């Protein structure tokens, strides 16, 4: 192939890219901002044809939260989004991100665009999500044989094995711990490539989950030292103040990977507090999240029938730097040497594409992506979206996505991830404009409200609940632990410990979104949808991507209650458990 190639790792929180030099196979990272190699994936939709990307988008978010989409990757499967009063295909924000990256890389080649574009995607993406990503590429001029796809774990595996080919049949695992998600895949080396033989994902676990734990620690410290400042941060701080706190928390988390202590600075309302935390304290805060990641890895290895014969466990994603993660995963396989985990996938995608440069069928062979009549796209090559660049200064599709605690507290932007036209949350504004807006929906913001929505039989069995995460629309997600020993224990597998927990939230808008996902997206193999105990409620249960345990998710659009139960022993035990606790 002549010319040069560009790969883009379109991430949940950040996007990275790599390129080859013209006439050379050497791979280099693309600097996407003045500060480094990563660019926030966020977009600000001023109109369908004027979209700002990256740090510029984040800076604009405070002026109009309804125009801000923090993570276009999370909503790519919705096909149509309602944002800032416009119905736009979800491929459009994704295309804006691609357009910005292509522009940055093209400037490094004296204005000569890439001959070939390689895009990465999660292993568990559905054909629909992949088609929308390809539609985004087509909108910026890359279609047919000019674009190819590589799954993220395959890309990472190719990067880490670049120094020497692995013998066919060698088994490795990739632990991809990014800002918003965790994906684990087990791969088997083939002749010059890799085959994924098992994959697990958790869309509620990522670097932002660790940030949220550190944020709650900050709140606890301020409650004792400066409750007035805490009240300001929680209730009335402008977005730039909460962004500053979020940055300080993230920097402290990153520093704790290499130093024994770090500080978090909280400034606002004419006051300032500097809080110091040790690595041991941080390890204790995140221990539960790390354990969830370790269990997910064990499950993926069990699905693949792999244990002692694992050749290497490769870590990628910025959050994989945390020392406690290294320590815990070392028991499951030899940890590979890390380079820059944030750009491994982007670099590996080019290496993988060199082995299989045309993995993607021509665009003409794929189904046409549905478009909103009001925003039919203009020709992709001649009129891409107007984008102001940031360079200016799972597996299961219905799983609730994570949103950083700092963003939720500071911005209160419950509507920044918006619904498609089929949502029951949309209503037409008064007047003759016909513009669709998204109405605000109530959600539970404390653990007690979530517990109050649980059936009494389930709540009676709960030992305790704690803040765990946030829904896309701002509601609190609680992680609840069941009493043990307990009669309910018999419904769960005891493979991963004697205690059992589940997640729950109360957020009517999020439940409707998730139910739309159940309706529109292909389910994981073995999943079944049935009616729940409450009117219009639904239950999704089955082995899904696991061959050894069952998972059950409950959705009630009437009350907004949703609960997810994992590690149930069998599908029959899952149904009996749901009946016992009053959800079926």
């Amino acid at each position: 192939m002549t010319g040069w190639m560009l790969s883009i790792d379109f991430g949940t929180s950040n996007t990275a890219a790599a390129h080859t030099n013209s006439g050379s196979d050497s791979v280099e990272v693309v600097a996407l901002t003045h500060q480094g190699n990563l660019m926030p994936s966020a977009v600000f939709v001023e109109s369908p044809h004027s979209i700002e990307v990256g740090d510029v988008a984040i800076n604009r978010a405070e002026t109009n939260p309804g125009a801000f989409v923090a993570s276009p990757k999370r909503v790519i499967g919705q096909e149509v989004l309602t944002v800032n009063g416009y119905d736009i295909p979800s491929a459009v924000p994704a295309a804006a991100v691609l357009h910005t990256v292509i522009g940055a890389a093209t400037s490094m080649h004296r204005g000569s665009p890439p001959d070939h574009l390689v895009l990465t995607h999660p292993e568990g993406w559905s054909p629909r999500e992949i088609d929308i990503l390809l539609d985004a590429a087509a909108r910026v001029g890359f279609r047919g044989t000019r674009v190819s796809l590589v799954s993220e774990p395959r890309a990472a595996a190719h990067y880490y094995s670049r120094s020497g080919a692995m013998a066919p049949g060698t088994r490795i695992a990739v632990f991809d711990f990014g800002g918003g998600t965790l994906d684990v895949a087990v791969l088997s080396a083939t002749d010059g490539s890799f085959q994924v033989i098992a994959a697990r994902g958790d869309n509620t676990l990522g670097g932002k989950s660790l940030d949220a734990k550190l944020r709650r620690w900050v709140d606890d410290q301020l409650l004792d030292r400066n409750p007035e400042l805490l009240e300001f941060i929680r209730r009335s701080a402008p977005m730039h103040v909460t962004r500053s706190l979020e940055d300080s928390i993230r920097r402290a988390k990153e520093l704790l990977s290499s130093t024994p202590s770090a500080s978090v600075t909280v400034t606002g309302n004419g006051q300032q507090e500097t809080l110091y935390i040790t690595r041991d304290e941080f390890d204790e805060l995140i221990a539960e999240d790390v354990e969830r990641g370790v269990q997910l890895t064990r499950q993926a290895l069990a699905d693949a029938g792999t244990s002692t014969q694992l050749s290497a466990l490769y870590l990628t994603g910025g959050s994989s730097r945390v020392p406690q993660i290294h320590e815990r995963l070392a028991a499951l396989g030899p940890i590979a040497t890390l380079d820059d985990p944030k750009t491994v996938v982007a670099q590996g995608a080019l290496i993988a594409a060199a082995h299989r440069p045309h993995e993607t069928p021509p665009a003409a062979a794929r189904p046409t992506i549905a478009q909103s009549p009001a925003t039919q796209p203009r020709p992709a090559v001649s009129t891409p979206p107007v984008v102001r660049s940031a360079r200016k200064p799972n597996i299961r599709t219905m799983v609730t996505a994570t949103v950083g605690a700092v963003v939720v507290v500071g911005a209160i932007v419950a509507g920044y991830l918006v619904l498609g036209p089929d949502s029951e949350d949309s209503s037409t504004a008064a007047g003759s404009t016909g513009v669709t807006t998204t109405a605000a929906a109530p959600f539970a913001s404390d653990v007690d409200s979530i517990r109050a929505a649980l059936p009494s039989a389930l709540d009676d069995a709960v030992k305790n609940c704690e803040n765990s995460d946030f829904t896309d629309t701002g509601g609190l997600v609680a992680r609840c632990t069941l009493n043990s020993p307990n009669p309910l224990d018999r419904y769960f597998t005891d493979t991963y410990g004697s205690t059992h927990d589940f997640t729950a939230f109360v957020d009517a808008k999020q439940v409707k979104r998730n139910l739309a996902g159940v309706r529109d997206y292909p389910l994981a193999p073995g999943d079944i949808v049935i009616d729940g105990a409450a009117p219009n409620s639904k239950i999704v249960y089955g082995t899904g991507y696991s061959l050894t345990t069952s998972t059950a998710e409950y959705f009630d659009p009437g009350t907004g209650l949703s609960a997810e139960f994992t590690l149930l022993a069998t599908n029959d035990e899952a149904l009996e458990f749901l009946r016992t606790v009053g959800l079926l």
Side-chain angles (χ1 to χ4, degrees):
M1 180 177 296
T2 60
W4 62 283
M5 296 172 62
L6 173 67
S7 65
I8 301 177
D9 178 21
F10 176 40
T12 305
S13 300
N14 296 292
T15 291
H19 68 120
T20 60
N21 288 319
S22 299
S24 170
D25 291 333
S26 64
V27 174
E28 298 178 356
V29 176
V30 177
L32 295 180
T33 69
H34 294 305
Q35 294 77 32
N37 298 325
L38 299 183
M39 179 187 76
S41 299
V43 299
F44 183 90
V45 182
E46 189 170 340
S47 76
H49 307 305
S50 179
I51 300 176
E52 295 175 335
V53 174
D55 288 326
V56 177
I58 294 173
N59 288 335
R60 290 287 307 274
E62 189 170 8
T63 65
N64 183 3
F68 182 63
V69 182
S71 178
K73 185 175 180 178
R74 287 205 184 281
V75 296
I76 202 167
Q78 293 186 23
E79 288 195 355
V80 178
L81 310 175
T82 303
V83 56
N84 199 22
Y86 297 96
D87 287 346
I88 62 174
S90 61
V92 169
V97 175
L98 301 184
H99 181 269
T100 298
V101 175
I102 292 169
T106 297
S107 68
M108 300 174 67
H109 290 262
R110 300 181 180 180
S112 175
D115 286 352
H116 191 80
L117 180 65
V118 184
L119 300 177
T120 66
H121 63 87
E123 181 67 32
W125 261 17
S126 68
R128 174 181 303 204
E129 290 165 307
I130 289 174
D131 273 336
I132 294 175
L133 181 62
L134 290 171
D135 182 32
R139 290 170 185 271
V140 292
F142 290 84
R143 63 182 78 241
T145 57
R146 293 195 66 201
V147 60
S148 58
L149 299 179
V150 178
S151 76
E152 291 163 3
R154 282 192 179 94
H158 275 282
Y159 177 82
Y160 283 119
S161 63
R162 67 195 184 284
S163 58
M166 291 186 180
T170 301
R171 289 193 172 188
I172 62 173
V174 174
F175 182 91
D176 187 355
F177 198 19
T181 60
L182 170 62
D183 290 294
V184 181
V186 183
L187 306 93
S188 178
T190 60
D191 187 12
S193 189
F194 294 90
Q195 177 185 4
V196 176
I197 55 178
R200 288 268 185 160
D202 189 337
N203 290 342
T204 68
L205 182 60
K208 288 185 177 180
S209 304
L210 309 186
D211 293 347
K213 292 294 178 66
L214 189 48
R215 170 57 197 270
R216 284 193 285 276
W217 176 85
V218 168
D219 285 359
D220 290 342
Q221 299 297 307
L222 289 179
L223 185 62
D224 291 335
R225 295 176 53 166
N226 194 335
E228 181 182 349
L229 178 57
L230 174 61
E231 183 68 14
F232 172 76
I233 294 294
R234 282 179 167 177
R235 303 297 181 189
S236 55
M239 186 177 290
H240 74 272
V241 170
T242 56
R243 280 208 305 267
S244 177
L245 176 56
E246 181 183 4
D247 289 342
S248 184
I249 286 173
R250 185 173 59 252
R251 285 195 298 270
K253 177 190 67 177
E254 293 172 352
L255 280 172
L256 288 169
S257 293
S258 57
T259 62
S261 65
S263 64
V264 176
T265 300
V266 188
T267 303
N269 203 26
Q271 303 180 65
Q272 178 173 306
E273 293 284 350
T274 300
L275 310 173
Y276 294 92
I277 184 170
T278 67
R279 182 186 293 175
D280 288 343
E281 290 174 310
F282 181 62
D283 284 347
E284 185 176 353
L285 291 177
I286 66 172
E288 181 181 353
D289 287 332
V290 173
E291 177 62 23
R292 288 170 60 192
V294 172
Q295 289 194 15
L296 193 75
T297 307
R298 287 197 184 107
Q299 292 164 359
L301 294 175
D303 293 344
T306 298
S307 54
T308 57
Q309 69 268 38
L310 191 66
S311 175
L313 178 53
Y314 295 110
L315 307 185
T316 185
S319 302
S320 65
R321 289 184 182 272
V322 175
Q324 186 182 171
I325 292 175
H326 291 213
E327 296 166 6
R328 295 297 311 281
L329 290 178
L332 304 182
I335 302 298
T337 302
L338 286 169
D339 292 303
D340 179 1
K342 298 178 181 180
T343 61
V344 161
V345 170
Q347 295 181 75
L350 288 180
I351 300 170
H355 291 277
R356 299 183 64 186
H358 302 302
E359 189 173 311
T360 305
R366 300 190 309 273
T368 301
I369 304 297
Q371 308 286 338
S372 168
T375 58
Q376 285 290 336
R378 298 169 291 176
V381 180
S382 59
T383 54
V386 177
V387 182
R388 284 184 268 279
S389 169
R391 291 176 61 85
K392 181 178 179 180
N394 124 329
I395 300 296
R396 298 179 67 155
T397 56
M398 72 286 293
V399 174
T400 304
T402 181
V403 177
V406 175
V407 174
V408 174
V409 173
I412 315 297
V413 287
Y416 81 128
L417 285 176
V418 291
L419 302 177
D422 294 333
S423 168
E424 297 179 19
D425 291 304
S426 296
S427 58
T428 302
S432 58
T433 62
V435 175
T436 301
T437 59
T438 302
F443 51 72
S445 56
D446 60 88
V447 167
D448 289 341
S449 298
I450 295 173
R451 290 194 63 172
L454 299 175
S456 58
L458 179 57
D459 186 53
D460 290 344
V462 170
K463 178 181 179 181
N464 67 280
C465 295
E466 64 174 355
N467 300 353
S468 175
D469 218 314
F470 295 90
T471 66
D472 289 350
T473 53
L476 177 70
V477 178
R479 179 167 292 275
C480 300
T481 301
L482 297 175
N483 287 310
S484 186
N486 186 296
L488 298 177
D489 287 344
R490 70 183 186 87
Y491 301 115
F492 293 85
T493 178
D494 58 2
T495 304
Y496 303 106
S498 58
T499 61
H500 308 292
D501 55 19
F502 65 94
T503 56
F505 62 83
V506 177
D507 185 337
K509 182 181 292 186
Q510 186 68 57
V511 165
K512 290 175 183 178
R513 291 185 185 186
N514 290 0
L515 282 175
V518 171
R519 179 191 67 217
D520 294 339
Y521 301 151
L523 298 176
D527 278 352
I528 301 170
V529 181
I530 59 175
D531 292 333
N536 300 318
S537 65
K538 297 291 182 183
I539 291 169
V540 180
Y541 78 97
T543 55
Y545 289 97
S546 168
L547 301 178
T548 57
T549 62
S550 182
T551 296
E553 296 181 73
Y554 176 82
F555 306 104
D556 183 353
T559 64
L561 173 65
S562 179
E564 181 179 14
F565 307 90
T566 60
L567 300 180
L568 293 156
T570 65
N571 288 347
D572 289 342
E573 298 284 12
L575 294 179
E576 187 58 32
F577 169 81
L578 294 170
R579 291 190 188 95
T580 302
V581 299
L583 295 176
L584 179 61

